[in-house]
Amino acid sequence: MNEIIEFLESKPLLLASICGITGYLMGSISFARIVYSTVTNEKEIEFYSETVANSDETFDTNFVSASLVNKRIGAKYGCITSLADILKVALPMLAAKLLFTSEPYYLIIPVFGMIGHYLPVYYNFVGGRGETIMLGSMFVVSWFGTLFVNLISTILGFITGSVVVLRYAGYFLMIFWLCY
């Protein structure tokens, strides 16, 4: 095994390509579709449309995601989908981080995993947004930082009364955490 690791580390372009292809193919697995079809026995998941409160507008989404699974068949299955989506890139990323220590090749996996999640080759390039990919990747890079910035994000969201702050501030704050 050590010989294979040494060989791959001596061929950086090959190793980077393997990480990129692995990330893309793993990211292309749509656990939203798998969970939905397993639970409902239907082949296709229907997109979601909801009327926006106090307006004539509707919120329409054509992303196939854990949020859509949550809306269609319940929170339990949405959580299962989220966890599977987090792990589909985080586990290969963690393996690469532990095996290939000469350079941070593991950071290539989530970049291509995000592309695969958003544009999955297995499903005619219609996928999800990729928030779970980001969250899983952040855990591998810095698990404590991820917990910390998301706690701060949650507190800021409650203080400001903004769901947007609650949901997205953690990604923004993670930049500063990693620079520190």
Side-chain angles (χ1 to χ4, degrees):
M1 184 69 166
N2 287 339
E3 297 85 22
I4 295 170
I5 293 170
E6 287 176 20
F7 172 77
L8 288 173
E9 285 187 332
S10 71
K11 308 284 186 197
L13 189 56
L14 175 63
L15 183 52
S17 298
I18 290 170
C19 288
I21 291 167
T22 300
Y24 179 78
L25 294 177
M26 292 299 291
S28 290
I29 298 169
S30 177
F31 283 106
R33 287 179 175 93
I34 293 168
V35 169
Y36 184 81
S37 65
T38 301
V39 172
T40 65
N41 292 322
E42 295 178 21
K43 287 187 176 186
E44 290 294 321
I45 188 169
E46 297 174 17
F47 294 128
Y48 185 72
S49 181
E50 178 177 53
T51 304
V52 177
N54 302 321
S55 76
D56 295 332
E57 302 284 324
T58 60
F59 171 74
D60 301 313
T61 181
N62 60 352
F63 290 114
V64 180
S65 64
S67 299
L68 184 58
V69 170
N70 179 33
K71 291 285 189 186
R72 288 281 172 223
I73 58 176
K76 177 172 93 171
Y77 297 109
C79 288
I80 291 168
T81 303
S82 289
L83 185 59
D85 279 345
I86 286 170
L87 293 175
K88 75 180 179 183
V89 170
L91 289 178
M93 190 179 169
L94 182 60
K97 182 178 183 179
L98 296 174
L99 290 174
F100 306 110
T101 57
S102 65
E103 298 290 335
Y105 291 105
Y106 68 97
L107 295 176
I108 297 169
I109 294 170
V111 171
F112 285 90
M114 179 75 77
I115 295 167
H117 188 79
Y118 188 75
L119 299 167
V121 68
Y122 309 128
Y123 304 102
N124 297 321
F125 304 103
V126 177
R129 292 183 311 266
E131 287 180 56
T132 53
I133 302 295
M134 287 188 287
L135 186 59
S137 301
M138 287 169 40
F139 266 106
V140 174
V141 172
S142 174
W143 67 268
F144 183 77
T146 302
L147 293 175
F148 181 73
V149 299
N150 280 292
L151 174 66
I152 299 300
S153 174
T154 302
I155 293 168
L156 289 173
F158 279 110
I159 290 171
T160 62
S162 172
V163 174
V164 173
V165 171
L166 186 139
R167 188 167 180 174
Y168 297 110
Y171 301 122
F172 178 73
L173 293 172
M174 192 65 171
I175 295 168
F176 298 103
W177 178 268
L178 294 175
C179 289
Y180 175 69

